[in-house]
Coordinates of all heavy atoms in Angstrom, one line a residue:
R1 N 7.4 -52.2 60.2 CA 6.0 -52.3 60.4 C 5.5 -53.7 60.1 O 5.8 -54.3 59.0 CB 5.3 -51.4 59.4 CG 5.4 -49.9 59.9 CD 4.6 -49.1 59.0 NE 3.7 -48.5 59.8 CZ 3.0 -47.3 59.4 NH1 3.2 -46.8 58.2 NH2 2.2 -46.7 60.1
R2 N 4.6 -54.2 60.9 CA 3.9 -55.6 60.7 C 2.6 -55.3 59.9 O 1.9 -54.3 60.1 CB 3.8 -56.2 62.0 CG 5.1 -56.7 62.7 CD 4.7 -57.4 64.0 NE 3.6 -57.0 64.7 CZ 2.9 -57.7 65.7 NH1 3.4 -58.8 66.0 NH2 2.0 -57.2 66.4
P3 N 2.2 -56.3 59.1 CA 1.0 -56.1 58.3 C -0.2 -56.2 59.4 O -0.1 -56.8 60.4 CB 0.9 -57.4 57.4 CG 2.3 -57.8 57.4 CD 3.0 -57.4 58.6
V4 N -1.2 -55.4 59.1 CA -2.4 -55.5 60.0 C -3.5 -56.2 59.2 O -3.9 -55.8 58.2 CB -2.9 -54.0 60.2 CG1 -4.1 -54.1 61.2 CG2 -1.8 -53.3 61.0
P5 N -4.0 -57.5 59.7 CA -5.0 -58.1 59.0 C -6.3 -57.5 59.1 O -6.6 -56.7 60.2 CB -4.9 -59.5 59.7 CG -4.4 -59.3 61.1 CD -3.5 -58.1 60.9
G6 N -7.2 -57.7 58.3 CA -8.6 -57.2 58.5 C -9.1 -56.7 57.2 O -8.4 -56.5 56.1
V7 N -10.4 -56.4 57.2 CA -11.0 -55.7 56.0 C -11.5 -54.3 56.5 O -12.1 -54.1 57.4 CB -12.3 -56.4 55.6 CG1 -13.1 -55.7 54.6 CG2 -12.0 -57.9 55.2
F8 N -11.1 -53.2 55.8 CA -11.2 -51.8 56.1 C -12.0 -51.1 55.0 O -11.7 -51.4 53.8 CB -9.9 -51.2 56.3 CG -9.0 -51.8 57.5 CD1 -8.1 -52.8 57.2 CD2 -9.3 -51.4 58.8 CE1 -7.3 -53.4 58.2 CE2 -8.5 -52.1 59.8 CZ -7.6 -53.0 59.5
N9 N -13.0 -50.3 55.4 CA -13.6 -49.5 54.5 C -13.0 -48.2 54.5 O -12.8 -47.6 55.7 CB -15.2 -49.3 55.0 CG -15.9 -50.7 54.9 OD1 -15.8 -51.4 54.0 ND2 -16.7 -50.9 55.9
A10 N -12.7 -47.6 53.5 CA -12.1 -46.3 53.2 C -13.1 -45.2 52.6 O -13.7 -45.6 51.5 CB -10.8 -46.3 52.5
G11 N -13.5 -44.3 53.4 CA -14.4 -43.4 52.8 C -14.5 -42.1 53.6 O -13.5 -41.9 54.5
S12 N -15.3 -41.2 53.5 CA -15.4 -40.0 54.3 C -15.9 -40.4 55.7 O -16.4 -41.5 56.0 CB -16.5 -39.1 53.7 OG -17.8 -39.6 53.7
R13 N -15.7 -39.4 56.6 CA -16.1 -39.5 58.0 C -17.6 -39.6 58.2 O -18.0 -40.4 59.0 CB -15.5 -38.3 58.7 CG -15.9 -38.2 60.2 CD -15.1 -37.2 60.8 NE -13.8 -37.6 61.3 CZ -13.6 -38.3 62.4 NH1 -14.5 -38.6 63.2 NH2 -12.4 -38.7 62.7
N14 N -18.3 -38.9 57.4 CA -19.8 -39.1 57.4 C -20.3 -39.4 56.1 O -19.7 -39.2 55.1 CB -20.3 -37.7 57.9 CG -19.9 -36.6 57.1 OD1 -18.9 -36.6 56.4 ND2 -20.9 -35.6 56.8
G15 N -21.4 -40.0 56.0 CA -22.0 -40.3 54.7 C -23.2 -39.4 54.6 O -23.6 -38.7 55.4
M16 N -23.8 -39.5 53.4 CA -25.1 -38.8 53.0 C -25.8 -39.5 52.1 O -25.4 -40.3 51.4 CB -24.9 -37.2 52.8 CG -24.0 -37.1 51.6 SD -23.8 -35.4 51.2 CE -22.7 -34.8 52.5
S17 N -27.2 -39.2 52.1 CA -28.0 -39.8 51.0 C -27.8 -39.2 49.7 O -27.0 -38.1 49.6 CB -29.5 -39.5 51.4 OG -29.8 -38.2 51.2
K18 N -28.3 -39.8 48.6 CA -28.0 -39.3 47.3 C -28.6 -37.9 47.1 O -28.0 -37.0 46.6 CB -28.6 -40.2 46.2 CG -27.7 -41.4 46.1 CD -28.4 -42.5 45.1 CE -27.5 -43.7 45.1 NZ -28.4 -44.9 45.2
A19 N -29.8 -37.8 47.7 CA -30.6 -36.4 47.7 C -29.6 -35.3 48.5 O -29.4 -34.2 48.0 CB -31.9 -36.6 48.3
A20 N -29.1 -35.6 49.7 CA -28.2 -34.8 50.3 C -27.0 -34.5 49.7 O -26.4 -33.3 49.6 CB -28.0 -35.4 51.7
F21 N -26.5 -35.4 48.9 CA -25.3 -35.2 48.0 C -25.5 -34.2 47.0 O -24.8 -33.3 46.8 CB -24.8 -36.6 47.5 CG -23.5 -36.5 46.8 CD1 -22.4 -36.7 47.4 CD2 -23.5 -36.2 45.3 CE1 -21.0 -36.7 46.6 CE2 -22.3 -36.2 44.7 CZ -21.1 -36.4 45.3
V22 N -26.6 -34.4 46.3 CA -27.1 -33.5 45.2 C -27.3 -32.0 45.9 O -26.8 -31.1 45.3 CB -28.3 -33.9 44.5 CG1 -28.9 -32.9 43.6 CG2 -27.9 -35.2 43.7
A23 N -27.9 -32.0 46.9 CA -28.1 -30.7 47.7 C -26.8 -30.1 48.0 O -26.7 -28.9 47.8 CB -29.0 -30.9 48.9
E24 N -25.9 -30.9 48.5 CA -24.5 -30.3 48.7 C -23.8 -29.7 47.6 O -23.2 -28.7 47.6 CB -23.7 -31.4 49.5 CG -22.4 -30.9 50.1 CD -22.6 -30.0 51.4 OE1 -23.5 -30.4 52.0 OE2 -21.9 -29.1 51.6
V25 N -23.9 -30.4 46.5 CA -23.2 -30.0 45.1 C -23.9 -28.8 44.8 O -23.3 -27.8 44.3 CB -23.3 -31.2 44.1 CG1 -22.8 -30.6 42.8 CG2 -22.4 -32.3 44.5
R26 N -25.3 -28.8 44.7 CA -26.1 -27.7 44.4 C -25.7 -26.4 45.1 O -25.4 -25.3 44.5 CB -27.6 -28.0 44.5 CG -28.5 -27.0 43.9 CD -29.9 -27.1 44.3 NE -30.1 -26.9 45.7 CZ -30.7 -27.7 46.5 NH1 -31.4 -28.8 46.0 NH2 -30.8 -27.4 47.8
S27 N -25.6 -26.5 46.5 CA -25.1 -25.4 47.3 C -23.8 -25.1 46.9 O -23.6 -23.7 46.9 CB -25.3 -25.9 48.7 OG -24.7 -24.9 49.6
A28 N -22.9 -25.8 46.8 CA -21.4 -25.4 46.5 C -21.3 -24.7 45.3 O -20.4 -23.9 45.0 CB -20.5 -26.8 46.5
L29 N -22.2 -25.0 44.2 CA -22.3 -24.4 42.9 C -23.1 -23.1 42.8 O -23.2 -22.4 41.9 CB -22.7 -25.3 41.9 CG -21.8 -26.5 41.6 CD1 -22.6 -27.4 40.6 CD2 -20.5 -26.1 41.1
G30 N -23.7 -22.8 44.1 CA -24.6 -21.6 44.2 C -25.8 -21.7 43.4 O -26.4 -20.8 43.0
L31 N -26.4 -22.9 43.3 CA -27.6 -23.2 42.6 C -28.7 -23.2 43.6 O -28.6 -23.6 44.7 CB -27.6 -24.4 41.8 CG -26.4 -24.5 40.7 CD1 -26.4 -25.9 40.1 CD2 -26.7 -23.4 39.6
G32 N -29.9 -23.0 43.2 CA -31.1 -22.9 44.1 C -31.8 -24.2 43.8 O -31.4 -25.1 43.0
P33 N -32.8 -24.5 44.8 CA -33.5 -25.9 44.7 C -34.1 -26.2 43.4 O -34.3 -27.4 43.0 CB -34.5 -25.7 45.9 CG -34.0 -24.7 46.8 CD -33.1 -23.6 45.9
G34 N -34.7 -25.1 42.7 CA -35.3 -25.4 41.4 C -34.3 -25.6 40.2 O -34.8 -26.0 39.2
D35 N -33.1 -25.4 40.5 CA -32.1 -25.7 39.3 C -31.7 -27.0 39.1 O -31.0 -27.3 38.1 CB -30.8 -24.8 39.6 CG -31.1 -23.3 39.7 OD1 -32.0 -22.8 39.0 OD2 -30.5 -22.6 40.7
V36 N -32.0 -28.0 40.1 CA -31.6 -29.4 39.9 C -32.9 -30.1 40.2 O -33.5 -30.0 41.3 CB -30.6 -29.9 41.0 CG1 -30.2 -31.2 40.8 CG2 -29.3 -28.9 40.7
L37 N -33.3 -31.0 39.3 CA -34.4 -31.8 39.5 C -34.1 -33.2 40.0 O -33.2 -33.8 39.6 CB -35.2 -31.9 38.2 CG -35.7 -30.7 37.4 CD1 -36.3 -31.1 36.1 CD2 -36.7 -30.0 38.4
A38 N -34.9 -33.7 41.0 CA -34.7 -34.9 41.5 C -35.5 -35.9 40.7 O -36.6 -35.7 40.2 CB -35.2 -35.0 42.9
P39 N -35.0 -37.2 40.6 CA -35.8 -38.2 39.9 C -37.1 -38.6 40.6 O -37.1 -38.6 41.9 CB -34.9 -39.4 39.8 CG -33.9 -39.1 40.9 CD -33.7 -37.7 41.1
V40 N -38.0 -38.8 39.9 CA -39.4 -39.1 40.5 C -39.6 -40.6 40.6 O -40.2 -41.2 41.6 CB -40.6 -38.6 39.6 CG1 -41.9 -38.7 40.4 CG2 -40.3 -37.2 39.3
K41 N -38.9 -41.4 39.8 CA -39.2 -42.9 39.7 C -38.0 -43.5 40.6 O -37.0 -43.2 40.8 CB -38.8 -43.3 38.2 CG -39.0 -44.7 38.0 CD -38.7 -45.1 36.5 CE -38.7 -46.7 36.4 NZ -38.0 -47.1 35.3
K42 N -38.6 -44.5 41.3 CA -37.8 -45.4 42.1 C -37.0 -46.4 41.3 O -37.5 -46.8 40.2 CB -38.6 -46.1 43.3 CG -39.1 -45.2 44.4 CD -39.1 -46.0 45.6 CE -39.4 -45.1 46.9 NZ -38.2 -45.1 47.6
P43 N -35.9 -46.9 41.7 CA -35.2 -47.9 40.9 C -35.9 -49.2 40.8 O -36.8 -49.5 41.6 CB -34.0 -48.1 41.8 CG -33.9 -47.3 43.0 CD -35.2 -46.5 43.0
D44 N -35.7 -49.8 39.6 CA -36.4 -51.0 39.4 C -35.9 -52.2 40.2 O -36.6 -53.3 40.2 CB -36.3 -51.4 37.8 CG -37.0 -50.4 36.9 OD1 -37.9 -49.6 37.3 OD2 -36.5 -50.2 35.8
V45 N -34.8 -52.1 40.7 CA -34.3 -53.2 41.6 C -34.3 -52.7 43.1 O -34.0 -51.7 43.4 CB -32.8 -53.5 41.2 CG1 -32.8 -54.1 39.7 CG2 -31.9 -52.4 41.2
P46 N -34.5 -53.7 43.9 CA -34.5 -53.2 45.4 C -33.1 -53.0 45.8 O -32.1 -53.5 45.5 CB -35.0 -54.5 46.1 CG -34.8 -55.6 45.1 CD -34.7 -55.0 43.8
R47 N -33.0 -51.9 46.6 CA -31.7 -51.4 47.3 C -31.9 -51.1 48.7 O -33.0 -50.6 49.1 CB -31.2 -50.1 46.4 CG -30.9 -50.5 45.1 CD -30.2 -49.3 44.5 NE -29.8 -49.6 43.0 CZ -29.6 -48.7 42.2 NH1 -29.6 -47.5 42.4 NH2 -29.4 -49.2 40.8
P48 N -30.9 -51.2 49.5 CA -30.9 -50.8 50.9 C -31.2 -49.3 51.0 O -30.8 -48.6 50.1 CB -29.8 -51.3 51.5 CG -28.9 -51.8 50.4 CD -29.6 -51.8 49.2
D49 N -32.0 -48.9 52.0 CA -32.2 -47.5 52.4 C -30.8 -46.8 52.6 O -30.6 -45.6 52.3 CB -33.2 -47.3 53.5 CG -34.6 -47.7 53.0 OD1 -34.8 -47.6 51.9 OD2 -35.4 -48.0 53.9
D50 N -30.0 -47.5 53.3 CA -28.7 -46.7 53.7 C -27.5 -47.7 53.3 O -27.3 -48.7 53.7 CB -28.7 -46.6 55.2 CG -27.6 -45.8 55.8 OD1 -26.6 -45.6 55.0 OD2 -27.6 -45.4 56.8
M51 N -26.6 -47.1 52.3 CA -25.6 -47.9 51.7 C -24.3 -47.4 52.2 O -23.2 -47.7 51.7 CB -25.6 -48.0 50.3 CG -26.9 -48.7 49.8 SD -27.2 -48.7 48.0 CE -25.6 -49.0 47.3
R52 N -24.2 -46.6 53.3 CA -22.9 -46.0 53.8 C -22.1 -47.1 54.4 O -22.7 -48.1 55.0 CB -23.3 -44.8 54.8 CG -23.8 -43.7 54.2 CD -24.2 -42.6 55.1 NE -25.3 -43.1 55.9 CZ -26.0 -42.4 56.8 NH1 -25.6 -41.2 57.2 NH2 -27.1 -42.8 57.4
M53 N -20.8 -46.9 54.2 CA -20.0 -47.8 54.9 C -19.2 -47.2 56.1 O -18.9 -46.0 56.0 CB -19.0 -48.4 53.9 CG -19.6 -49.2 52.8 SD -18.6 -49.8 51.5 CE -17.9 -51.2 52.3
D54 N -18.9 -47.9 57.1 CA -18.2 -47.2 58.2 C -16.8 -47.4 58.1 O -16.1 -48.5 58.1 CB -18.7 -48.0 59.5 CG -18.2 -47.5 60.8 OD1 -17.4 -46.5 60.7 OD2 -18.6 -48.1 61.8
S55 N -16.1 -46.2 58.2 CA -14.6 -46.2 58.1 C -14.0 -46.1 59.5 O -12.8 -45.9 59.6 CB -14.2 -44.9 57.2 OG -14.6 -45.1 55.9
G56 N -14.8 -46.2 60.5 CA -14.3 -46.1 61.9 C -13.2 -47.1 62.2 O -12.2 -46.7 62.9
L57 N -13.2 -48.3 61.8 CA -12.1 -49.2 62.1 C -10.9 -48.7 61.5 O -9.8 -48.9 62.1 CB -12.5 -50.7 61.5 CG -11.5 -51.8 61.9 CD1 -11.3 -52.0 63.3 CD2 -12.0 -53.1 61.2
L58 N -10.9 -48.3 60.3 CA -9.7 -47.9 59.6 C -9.1 -46.7 60.4 O -7.9 -46.6 60.6 CB -10.1 -47.3 58.2 CG -9.0 -46.9 57.4 CD1 -7.9 -47.8 57.0 CD2 -9.4 -46.1 56.1
E59 N -10.1 -45.8 60.8 CA -9.5 -44.5 61.6 C -8.9 -45.0 62.9 O -7.8 -44.5 63.3 CB -10.6 -43.6 61.9 CG -11.2 -42.9 60.6 CD -12.4 -41.8 61.0 OE1 -13.4 -42.3 61.6 OE2 -12.3 -40.8 60.6
R60 N -9.6 -45.9 63.6 CA -9.1 -46.3 64.9 C -7.7 -47.1 64.8 O -6.8 -46.9 65.5 CB -10.1 -47.2 65.8 CG -11.4 -46.4 66.2 CD -12.2 -47.1 67.0 NE -12.7 -48.3 66.4 CZ -13.7 -48.4 65.5 NH1 -14.3 -47.3 65.3 NH2 -14.2 -49.5 65.0
T61 N -7.7 -48.1 63.9 CA -6.6 -48.9 63.8 C -5.3 -48.2 63.3 O -4.2 -48.4 63.8 CB -6.9 -50.2 62.6 OG1 -8.0 -50.7 63.1 CG2 -5.6 -51.0 62.5
F62 N -5.4 -47.2 62.4 CA -4.2 -46.5 61.9 C -4.2 -45.1 62.3 O -3.4 -44.3 61.9 CB -4.3 -46.5 60.3 CG -4.2 -47.9 59.7 CD1 -5.3 -48.6 59.3 CD2 -2.9 -48.5 59.7 CE1 -5.2 -49.9 58.8 CE2 -2.8 -49.8 59.2 CZ -4.0 -50.5 58.8
N63 N -5.0 -44.7 63.3 CA -5.0 -43.4 63.9 C -5.1 -42.2 62.9 O -4.3 -41.5 62.8 CB -3.7 -43.1 64.8 CG -3.9 -42.0 65.7 OD1 -4.9 -41.7 66.2 ND2 -2.7 -41.4 65.9
L64 N -6.2 -42.5 62.1 CA -6.5 -41.5 60.9 C -7.7 -40.7 61.3 O -8.5 -41.1 62.1 CB -6.6 -42.3 59.7 CG -5.5 -43.1 59.2 CD1 -6.0 -43.9 58.0 CD2 -4.4 -42.2 58.7
K65 N -7.8 -39.7 60.7 CA -9.1 -39.0 60.7 C -9.6 -38.7 59.2 O -9.0 -38.0 58.5 CB -9.1 -37.5 61.4 CG -10.4 -36.9 61.5 CD -10.2 -35.6 62.3 CE -11.6 -35.0 62.2 NZ -11.6 -33.6 62.8
M66 N -10.5 -39.4 58.8 CA -11.2 -39.4 57.4 C -11.7 -38.1 57.1 O -12.3 -37.4 58.2 CB -12.0 -40.6 57.1 CG -11.4 -41.9 57.3 SD -9.8 -42.1 56.4 CE -10.6 -42.4 54.8
P67 N -11.7 -37.6 56.1 CA -12.3 -36.2 55.8 C -13.9 -36.2 55.7 O -14.4 -37.3 55.6 CB -11.8 -35.9 54.3 CG -11.6 -37.2 53.7 CD -11.1 -38.1 54.8
E68 N -14.4 -35.0 55.9 CA -16.0 -34.9 55.9 C -16.3 -35.0 54.3 O -15.6 -34.3 53.6 CB -16.3 -33.6 56.4 CG -16.0 -33.5 58.0 CD -17.0 -34.3 58.8 OE1 -18.1 -34.5 58.4 OE2 -16.5 -34.8 59.9
L69 N -17.3 -35.6 54.0 CA -17.7 -35.7 52.7 C -18.1 -34.3 52.1 O -17.7 -34.0 50.9 CB -19.0 -36.5 52.6 CG -19.5 -36.8 51.1 CD1 -18.4 -37.3 50.2 CD2 -20.7 -37.9 51.2
S70 N -18.7 -33.4 52.8 CA -19.1 -32.1 52.4 C -17.8 -31.3 52.1 O -17.8 -30.6 51.0 CB -20.0 -31.3 53.3 OG -19.3 -31.2 54.5
D71 N -16.8 -31.4 52.7 CA -15.6 -30.9 52.5 C -14.9 -31.3 51.1 O -14.4 -30.5 50.3 CB -14.5 -31.0 53.6 CG -14.9 -30.2 54.9 OD1 -15.7 -29.4 54.7 OD2 -14.4 -30.7 56.0
E72 N -15.0 -32.7 51.0 CA -14.4 -33.2 49.8 C -15.2 -32.8 48.5 O -14.6 -32.7 47.4 CB -14.4 -34.8 50.0 CG -13.4 -35.3 51.1 CD -12.0 -34.7 50.7 OE1 -11.4 -35.0 49.7 OE2 -11.5 -34.0 51.6
I73 N -16.5 -32.7 48.7 CA -17.3 -32.3 47.5 C -16.8 -30.9 47.1 O -16.6 -30.6 45.8 CB -18.7 -32.3 47.8 CG1 -19.3 -33.7 48.0 CG2 -19.6 -31.5 46.8 CD1 -20.7 -33.8 48.6
R74 N -16.7 -29.9 47.9 CA -16.2 -28.6 47.7 C -14.8 -28.5 47.1 O -14.6 -27.8 46.2 CB -16.3 -27.7 48.9 CG -17.8 -27.5 49.3 CD -17.9 -26.7 50.6 NE -19.4 -26.7 51.0 CZ -20.3 -26.0 50.5 NH1 -20.1 -25.2 49.3 NH2 -21.5 -26.0 50.9
K75 N -13.9 -29.4 47.7 CA -12.5 -29.5 47.0 C -12.6 -30.0 45.7 O -11.9 -29.5 44.8 CB -11.6 -30.4 47.9 CG -11.1 -29.7 49.1 CD -10.0 -30.5 49.7 CE -10.3 -31.4 50.7 NZ -9.2 -32.1 51.5
A76 N -13.4 -31.1 45.4 CA -13.5 -31.7 44.0 C -14.0 -30.6 43.0 O -13.5 -30.5 42.0 CB -14.3 -32.9 44.1
L77 N -15.1 -29.9 43.5 CA -15.7 -28.8 42.6 C -14.6 -27.8 42.3 O -14.5 -27.3 41.3 CB -16.9 -28.3 43.1 CG -18.1 -29.5 43.2 CD1 -19.2 -28.8 43.9 CD2 -18.4 -29.8 41.7
A78 N -13.8 -27.4 43.2 CA -13.0 -26.3 43.2 C -11.8 -26.8 42.2 O -11.3 -25.9 41.3 CB -12.3 -25.9 44.5
M79 N -11.4 -28.0 42.2 CA -10.3 -28.6 41.4 C -10.8 -28.6 39.8 O -10.1 -28.4 39.0 CB -9.9 -29.8 41.8 CG -9.1 -29.9 43.0 SD -8.8 -31.6 43.7 CE -8.5 -32.6 42.2
G80 N -12.1 -28.7 39.7 CA -12.6 -28.7 38.4 C -13.0 -27.4 37.8 O -13.4 -27.3 36.6
G81 N -12.7 -26.4 38.6 CA -12.9 -25.0 38.1 C -14.3 -24.5 38.3 O -14.7 -23.5 37.6
Y82 N -15.1 -25.2 39.1 CA -16.5 -24.7 39.2 C -16.6 -23.7 40.3 O -16.0 -23.5 41.1 CB -17.4 -25.9 39.6 CG -17.5 -26.9 38.6 CD1 -16.6 -28.2 38.7 CD2 -18.3 -26.8 37.5 CE1 -16.7 -29.0 37.7 CE2 -18.4 -27.8 36.5 CZ -17.6 -28.9 36.5 OH -17.7 -29.8 35.7

């Protein structure tokens, strides 16, 4: 095998906002919307609205299919005994 030059992002096939991530965890744990409180305060430092990274180049170059984030959340929670 020859080395493949480049910079590759490795992550899930799809991304989600922090709020969607919390909602997914809440759902996987069988909790309702009132069981988890969202922060009211915005961060003190500026941040981009969307910080997801694209793993498409990695998938295409190495013929991979990265996992779905929601599937990985459920697997991680199952491994922790939740």
Side-chain angles (χ1 to χ4, degrees):
R1 286 187 122 159
R2 293 186 321 166
V4 178
V7 176
F8 300 92
N9 297 318
S12 65
R13 175 170 275 279
N14 61 326
M16 59 180 68
S17 68
K18 290 180 184 126
F21 185 89
V22 169
E24 191 71 36
V25 170
R26 186 189 68 223
S27 172
L29 293 174
L31 301 173
D35 295 326
V36 178
L37 299 177
V40 188
K41 183 180 174 205
K42 286 216 171 246
D44 292 333
V45 294
R47 294 192 180 159
D49 288 335
D50 189 345
M51 295 175 42
R52 290 176 286 188
M53 298 176 79
D54 185 356
S55 297
L57 180 61
L58 179 72
E59 290 182 306
R60 290 187 303 278
T61 303
F62 296 101
N63 195 29
L64 299 172
K65 183 176 179 188
M66 301 305 284
E68 297 284 332
L69 183 52
S70 57
D71 294 337
E72 294 303 301
I73 290 170
R74 292 180 188 282
K75 278 198 266 184
L77 291 172
M79 287 174 38
Y82 296 99

